[in-house]
């Protein structure tokens, strides 16, 4: 075709990228790849391997080693051996290694990009211009955190060996998200790339060798799900980081329960793409292209649910259908195509089946008329209109280039539809009225919101979800918490719960004893559903009083009351601070009574009990102070815009208080939670429950709205399980024994709620008993991206 003909027709390419160097590198791996363990290339001990193919052509690229349990064990041992020495290096020394890796990735960027496109099927323009630059950015950014760790994270230390399992949709980028922060803070890693897309991980291992990274710091083991399971279950792993499906994430949550392993999960999504009537329609159409047809829609945060304001729906859909006709599907190495290949025939089959279900349920199918490639795993860009919010394709993550569309009339309805999903990963808002967009963004139950943009990522801005999209963050300062722990934990002793005293028959004689202490639900005293009570005894066995024996129905009632108290999260931080100060004031006014009660329940001397009350008052003042000061941040990623990192409440938090400190343990856990806008269902100390039932009288006189604090007394461990199983509870904190903590973690898998279990002794009277650690546990970070300019 001549230049004149090209200018006349304005047709695209083709503009193929050479795969010569990439295929030569793959051929250099041999007939079968090896595992990267302890800085050396080693054959899988089982001798097993499997084929990896190019999804665009179906051709076999090579055979990958299948790591078994023995290989994983060898990798963990190598990582364990290397970890102390790696952590002992200065931050500057670790930073130099990360900097070297960033430079090597840039130096070999085209090779990485072509291998990724061959192996994954995504367009070369995406791997070249988006994935690889972001990979380098992550290593540069975290080289900075390595340098600054001693000053900025002085009270934290590495976890140890981190087991990391990544998906096939962004093979190298997910590797960088996992490895960079882990090794920057002194951890070592055992990483399993996805079964379908392991090649760039092996190329990265070569870069580790070229950078002179100490042996065992990074270990790469290829394999299928059994390899990942071996990593999850290995006792030498201190932390598991997983990105993948919600189903597998739930299994990992249950498998790691009681192991003591730290866990972060970045799971599925069904993200809304909201278009208001005042949006720039043409820009929003291009936004849709980026949101759902980027990487063939194989993106966990893909804008797969299009919500269009009813007044502009017909015009917008017409523009979108016209734009779909111009999208080119074809060879990923052709720089002129827009959509590449689906990663594997299994995934292609699932996409087809779900689209068929959508049409059967009444959706109207729109696909471009252009012919599809005759070979390879390709699927056209697809739009389903007239979709009901309850339909299968509206609820299920398709993970392909399929967009489902519905309409809304008002902003409130848009929020309701957007939140009508078990997922909560990301959202995109399109409006020329910034005040409207910033009003809607905090109301969306997801971890990332893009305003007039989509699929923007940066190493300095955290990424992660709410609800069944997982917990924890990748990137940003908040992402570092997942790869570090407070230094004091290293010397902490396990909680040793004392056996309950035997009943002595005598009652402690104090004038204020209330033998009919009730539960506290929805701002009212409530009799326990079962009609039973339990004694609170002194160490000598004397009866101090009785409290209600709560059960599962009482927990249900308390959760319902907490869910209704939505106004608390919407209250200003100043208002919440005032109420916390007021609680402290009223507790101080009754300090003598509380000290007497604590002395009676614990057998401690009155001056010692008075110290606990004074510490509780001080703690309330601390969280009154923090209520309007634990603020977010304004990130400046490398684009024209900002990202607003907002600390948001978790929602309804179940708190099972430490048993040893009846009043201080109650206040130290409840106060940070409500200071940040959460509503709580609290199970207080069993042995000192009267401190909590006395405390609700303080709440009654302190303007605390009904339902913000709900108290259910009874068997702590049994009630903890009831809370963990409840799907309307967003997080659980448990302080107690190892066996019960394991039960709580396993039971939480139902809705993948956030869990904080602590089974070691904390010095509640010291600085360990308060501060940023508690506030971080009481919040989750939402990053709102706001680009600016023409």
């Amino acid at each position: 075709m001549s230049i004149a003909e090209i200018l006349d027709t304005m047709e695209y390419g083709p503009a193929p990228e050479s795969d010569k160097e990439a295929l030569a590198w793959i051929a250099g791996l041999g007939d079968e790849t090896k595992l990267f363990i302890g800085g050396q290339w080693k054959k899988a001990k089982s001798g097993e391997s499997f084929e990896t193919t190019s999804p665009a052509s179906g051709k076999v690229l090579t055979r990958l080693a299948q790591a078994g349990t023995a290989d994983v064990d060898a990798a963990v041992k190598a990582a364990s051996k290397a970890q102390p020495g790696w952590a002992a290096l200065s931050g500057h020394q670790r930073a130099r290694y990360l900097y070297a890796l960033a430079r090597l990735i840039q130096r070999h960027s085209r090779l990485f990009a072509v291998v990724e496109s061959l192996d994954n099927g995504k367009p070369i323009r995406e791997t070249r211009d988006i994935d690889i630059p972001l990979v380098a950015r992550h290593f540069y950014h975290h080289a900075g955190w390595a340098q600054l760790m001693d000053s900025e994270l002085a009270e934290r230390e590495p976890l140890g060996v981190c087991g990391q399992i990544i998906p096939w949709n962004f093979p190298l980028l997910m590797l960088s998200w996992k490895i960079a922060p882990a090794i920057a803070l002194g951890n070592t890693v055992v990483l399993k790339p996805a079964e379908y897309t392991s090649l760039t991980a092996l190329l990265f291992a070569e870069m580790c060798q070229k950078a002179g990274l100490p042996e065992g710091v990074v270990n790469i083991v290829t394999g299928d799900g059994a390899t990942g399971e071996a990593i999850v279950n290995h006792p030498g792993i201190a932390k598991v980081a997983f990105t993948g499906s919600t189903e597998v994430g739930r299994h990992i949550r249950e498998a790691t329960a009681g192991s003591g392993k730290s866990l972060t999960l970045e799971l599925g999504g069904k993200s809304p793409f909201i278009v208001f009537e005042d949006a720039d329609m043409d820009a929003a159409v291009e936004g849709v292209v980026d949101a759902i047809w980027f990487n063939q829609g194989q993106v966990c945060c893909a804008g797969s649910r299009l919500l269009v304001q009813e007044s502009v729906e017909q015009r917008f859909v017409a523009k979108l259908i016209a734009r779909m006709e111009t999208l080119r599907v074809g060879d990923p190495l052709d720089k002129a195509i827009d959509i590449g290949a689906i990663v594997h025939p299994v995934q292609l089959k699932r996409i087809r089946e779900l689209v068929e279900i959508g049409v059967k349920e009444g959706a109207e199918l729109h696909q471009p008329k252009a012919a599809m490639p005759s070979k390879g795993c390709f699927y056209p860009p697809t739009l389903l209109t007239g979709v009901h919010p309850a339909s299968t394709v509206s609820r299920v993550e398709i993970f392909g280039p399929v967009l489902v569309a519905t309409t809304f009339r008002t902003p409130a309805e848009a929020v309701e539809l957007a939140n009508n999903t078990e997922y909560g990963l990301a959202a995109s808002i399109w409006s020329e009225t910034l005040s409207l967009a910033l009003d809607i963004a905090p109301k969306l139950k997801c971890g990332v919101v893009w305003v007039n943009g989509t699929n923007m990522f940066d190493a300095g801005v955290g990424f992660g979800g709410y609800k069944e999209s997982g917990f924890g963050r990748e990137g940003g300062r908040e992402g570092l918490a997942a790869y570090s722990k407070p230094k004091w934990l290293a010397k902490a002793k396990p909680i040793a719960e004392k056996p309950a005293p035997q009943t002595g028959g005598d009652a402690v004689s104090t004038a204020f004893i209330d033998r009919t202490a009730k539960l506290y639900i929805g701002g009212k005293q409530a009799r326990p559903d079962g009609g039973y009570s339990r004694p609170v005894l002194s160490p000598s066995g004397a009866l101090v009083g009785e409290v209600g024996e709560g059960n599962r129905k009482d927990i249900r009632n308390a959760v319902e009351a907490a869910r209704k108290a939505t106004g608390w999260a919407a209250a200003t931080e100043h208002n919440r601070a005032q109420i916390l100060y007021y609680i402290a004031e009223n507790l101080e006014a009754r300090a003598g009574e509380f000290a007497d009660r604590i002395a009676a329940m614990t057998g401690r001397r009155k001056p010692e009990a008075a110290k606990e009350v004074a510490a509780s008052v001080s703690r309330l003042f601390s969280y009154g102070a923090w209520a309007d000061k634990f603020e977010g941040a304004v990130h400046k990623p490398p684009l024209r815009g900002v990202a607003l990192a907002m600390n948001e409440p978790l929602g309804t938090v179940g708190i099972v208080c430490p048993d040893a400190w009846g009043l201080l343990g109650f206040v130290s856990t409840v106060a940070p939670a409500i200071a940040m806008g959460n509503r709580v269902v609290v199970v207080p100390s069993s042995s000192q429950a009267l401190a909590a039932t006395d405390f609700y009288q303080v709440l009654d006189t302190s303007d605390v709205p009904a339902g913000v604090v709900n108290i259910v007394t009874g068997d702590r461990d049994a009630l903890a399980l009831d809370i963990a199983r409840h799907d309307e509870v967003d997080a659980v904190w448990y302080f107690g024994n190892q066996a019960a903590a394991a039960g709580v973690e396993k039971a939480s898998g139902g809705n993948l709620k956030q869990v904080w279990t602590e089974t070691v002794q904390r010095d509640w009277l010291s600085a360990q008993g308060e501060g940023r650690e508690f506030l971080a546990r009481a919040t989750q970070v939402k990053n709102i991206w706001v680009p600016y300019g023409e």
Side-chain angles (χ1 to χ4, degrees):
M1 181 180 288
S2 68
I3 294 176
E5 289 173 322
I6 292 173
L7 292 174
D8 183 54
T9 62
M10 295 300 289
E11 288 189 7
Y12 293 103
E17 173 76 30
S18 172
D19 60 5
K20 179 181 177 181
E21 292 80 3
L23 291 177
W25 176 80
I26 293 172
L29 296 174
D31 295 333
E32 182 178 302
T33 67
K34 297 179 181 179
L35 310 175
F36 186 65
I37 297 175
Q40 306 296 321
W41 293 100
K42 300 181 179 181
K43 290 185 176 181
K45 295 184 178 181
S46 65
E48 296 179 3
S49 63
F50 57 93
E51 291 180 346
T52 185
T53 61
S54 173
S57 65
K59 295 180 179 178
V60 175
L61 294 173
T62 188
R63 295 190 66 84
L64 297 172
Q66 171 66 46
T69 303
D71 300 303
V72 170
D73 185 59
V76 173
K77 287 179 178 177
S80 298
K81 181 180 179 181
Q83 198 274 324
W86 178 246
L89 294 179
S90 70
H92 174 65
Q93 289 173 303
R94 288 198 302 275
R96 291 171 71 97
Y97 284 111
L98 272 85
Y99 176 78
L101 287 169
R103 295 291 289 147
L104 283 163
I105 289 163
Q106 289 180 317
R107 197 177 307 153
H108 298 278
S109 61
R110 189 55 61 96
L111 178 58
F112 272 111
V114 177
V115 172
E116 193 83 315
S117 288
L118 282 171
D119 202 21
N120 170 273
K122 64 173 62 179
I124 184 68
R125 286 189 296 123
E126 293 179 8
T127 60
R128 180 195 66 192
D129 299 340
I130 299 173
D131 291 22
I132 307 307
L134 270 174
V135 170
R137 163 73 175 150
H138 271 268
F139 282 96
Y140 277 125
H141 179 80
H142 288 95
W145 277 120
Q147 182 79 27
L148 299 174
M149 182 179 178
D150 290 343
S151 59
E152 293 298 307
L153 302 167
E155 299 303 316
R156 301 187 72 83
E157 63 184 9
L159 296 169
V161 179
C162 299
Q164 302 176 325
I165 304 168
I166 59 176
W168 44 258
N169 57 339
F170 289 91
L172 189 65
L173 184 57
M174 293 295 102
L175 176 149
S176 70
W177 283 21
K178 296 287 191 291
I179 289 181
I183 66 175
L185 298 193
N187 302 282
T188 53
V189 303
V190 176
L191 180 135
K192 189 196 90 68
E195 179 181 358
Y196 300 154
T197 54
S198 298
L199 292 181
T200 48
L202 299 177
L203 179 54
F204 176 79
E206 290 186 5
M207 299 303 113
C208 292
Q209 287 183 310
K210 289 184 178 182
L213 198 69
E215 295 180 354
V217 172
V218 170
N219 304 271
I220 308 289
V221 290
T222 54
D224 57 15
T227 307
E229 190 171 11
I231 292 173
V232 169
N233 293 330
H234 197 288
I237 295 289
K239 176 201 166 46
V240 174
F242 172 77
T243 297
S245 73
T246 296
E247 180 183 0
V248 175
R250 185 175 286 112
H251 174 74
I252 292 173
R253 168 69 284 179
E254 294 172 355
T256 57
S259 66
K261 294 181 173 72
S262 176
L263 176 66
T264 50
L265 301 172
E266 197 264 281
L267 308 175
K270 194 71 176 175
S271 300
F273 188 103
I274 307 170
V275 181
F276 286 97
E277 61 187 0
D278 68 338
D280 180 330
M281 293 291 132
D282 293 323
V285 166
E286 292 306 310
V288 170
V289 173
D290 288 338
I292 187 59
W293 295 312
F294 171 61
N295 195 19
Q296 300 73 253
Q298 299 171 137
V299 184
C300 53
C301 57
S304 55
R305 288 188 297 143
L306 173 62
L307 308 178
V308 186
Q309 198 152 18
E310 193 174 272
S311 57
V312 296
E313 185 253 352
Q314 290 186 356
R315 182 159 62 99
F316 187 82
V317 169
K319 283 179 173 287
L320 184 57
I321 291 173
R323 180 67 175 90
M324 289 169 63
E325 292 292 342
T326 69
L327 295 173
R328 293 170 59 100
V329 181
D331 180 5
L333 291 183
D334 183 351
K335 292 186 281 290
I337 66 101
D338 302 293
I339 299 175
I342 304 300
V343 72
H344 194 273
V346 171
Q347 182 64 18
L348 180 61
K349 180 183 177 183
R350 171 179 166 79
I351 294 168
R352 287 172 172 162
E353 289 174 348
L354 285 169
V355 170
E356 289 174 5
I357 291 171
V359 173
K360 287 179 181 178
E361 292 180 349
E364 183 178 355
L365 176 67
H366 305 273
Q367 291 177 334
K369 300 180 182 65
M372 296 288 295
S374 58
K375 296 181 180 180
C377 295
F378 293 94
Y379 195 81
T382 300
L383 171 64
L384 297 173
T385 57
V387 177
H388 191 278
S391 67
T392 301
V393 290
S394 285
R395 295 182 292 102
V396 175
E397 185 180 31
I398 299 174
F399 222 65
V402 181
L403 177 66
V404 300
T406 190
T407 61
F408 66 89
R409 293 183 179 180
T410 65
E413 186 182 5
V415 171
E416 187 174 355
L417 288 169
N419 290 336
N420 183 32
T421 172
E422 64 265 34
Y423 298 112
L425 191 52
S428 186
I429 302 171
W430 291 78
S431 171
E432 289 297 283
T433 307
L434 188 58
S435 60
L436 173 63
L438 293 181
D439 178 57
I440 296 297
K443 298 175 183 177
L444 300 178
K445 296 179 181 177
C446 58
V448 181
V449 178
W450 296 295
V451 175
N452 293 330
T454 190
N455 281 336
M456 291 181 279
F457 310 101
D458 183 61
V461 183
F463 179 87
Y466 295 5
K467 301 188 291 185
E468 293 190 27
S469 288
F471 46 80
R473 295 292 182 266
E474 309 265 11
R477 190 179 187 115
E478 58 267 33
L480 298 174
Y483 289 100
S484 60
K485 62 184 178 182
K487 289 182 177 179
W488 68 266
L489 282 173
K491 297 181 180 179
K493 297 179 180 179
I495 291 174
E497 296 183 350
K498 298 178 181 179
Q502 298 298 311
T503 304
D506 297 328
V508 175
S509 178
T510 52
F512 58 84
I513 287 180
D514 178 5
R515 294 181 182 275
T516 59
K518 301 180 182 67
L519 313 181
Y520 188 67
I521 297 174
K524 298 179 181 179
Q525 297 182 40
R527 295 186 184 279
D529 171 71
Y532 288 95
S533 61
R534 62 165 42 212
V536 177
L537 306 176
S538 73
S540 65
L543 180 66
V544 182
E546 293 180 336
V547 296
E549 185 72 67
N551 62 20
R552 183 167 58 90
K553 186 175 180 181
D554 296 311
I555 292 294
R556 186 189 70 186
N557 293 340
V559 172
E560 183 178 352
R563 301 287 293 186
K564 290 179 179 178
T566 54
W568 183 247
T572 67
E573 288 78 3
H574 172 67
N575 178 248
R576 293 201 294 266
Q578 283 184 303
I579 289 176
L580 281 157
Y581 288 132
Y582 199 12
I583 296 171
E585 177 185 334
N586 287 325
L587 176 60
E588 175 75 16
R590 297 180 57 182
E593 295 177 18
F594 274 89
D596 286 340
R597 180 72 94 184
I598 291 169
M601 292 186 294
T602 64
R604 304 205 306 258
R605 296 174 57 197
K606 178 76 176 288
E608 294 177 356
K611 287 183 181 178
E612 181 175 347
V613 179
S616 300
V617 172
S618 174
R619 202 132 291 168
L620 286 163
F621 260 74
S622 290
Y623 290 114
W626 274 117
D628 60 358
K629 297 176 186 64
F630 189 66
E631 298 173 322
V634 179
H635 298 303
K636 298 187 70 177
L639 56 79
R640 292 194 68 196
V642 295
L644 310 176
M646 299 176 62
N647 291 322
E648 294 193 332
L650 302 172
T652 300
V653 181
I655 301 176
V656 184
C657 301
D659 198 55
W661 295 88
L663 179 63
L664 184 58
F666 178 94
V667 169
S668 297
T669 52
V670 170
I674 65 173
M676 295 296 101
N678 299 286
R679 295 91 69 192
V680 297
V681 175
V682 191
V683 180
S685 163
S686 295
S687 63
Q688 302 175 42
L690 289 168
T693 57
D694 288 348
F695 195 83
Y696 63 59
Q697 298 169 17
V698 174
L699 298 174
D700 278 337
T701 58
S702 303
D703 294 340
V704 178
V708 172
V709 178
N710 305 273
I711 302 170
V712 180
T713 53
D715 184 325
R716 293 171 67 254
D717 294 347
L719 294 174
L721 285 175
D722 291 332
I723 291 173
R725 293 187 183 112
H726 201 301
D727 283 344
E728 294 299 312
V729 173
D730 300 299
V732 181
W733 298 358
Y734 175 84
F735 301 86
N737 67 78
Q738 179 66 37
V744 167
E745 291 173 356
K746 189 170 185 177
S748 72
N751 69 341
L752 288 169
K753 57 177 64 68
Q754 297 192 34
V755 177
W756 179 17
T757 55
E758 190 165 282
T759 59
V760 296
Q761 297 178 35
R762 182 184 288 262
D763 183 358
W764 291 96
L765 281 170
S766 75
Q768 287 180 13
E770 66 174 288
R772 286 184 175 272
E773 180 186 6
F774 290 84
L775 296 166
R777 294 282 190 175
T779 55
Q780 50 194 349
V781 179
K782 172 181 285 179
N783 280 286
I784 303 173
W785 292 70
V786 186
Y788 49 71
E790 293 297 325

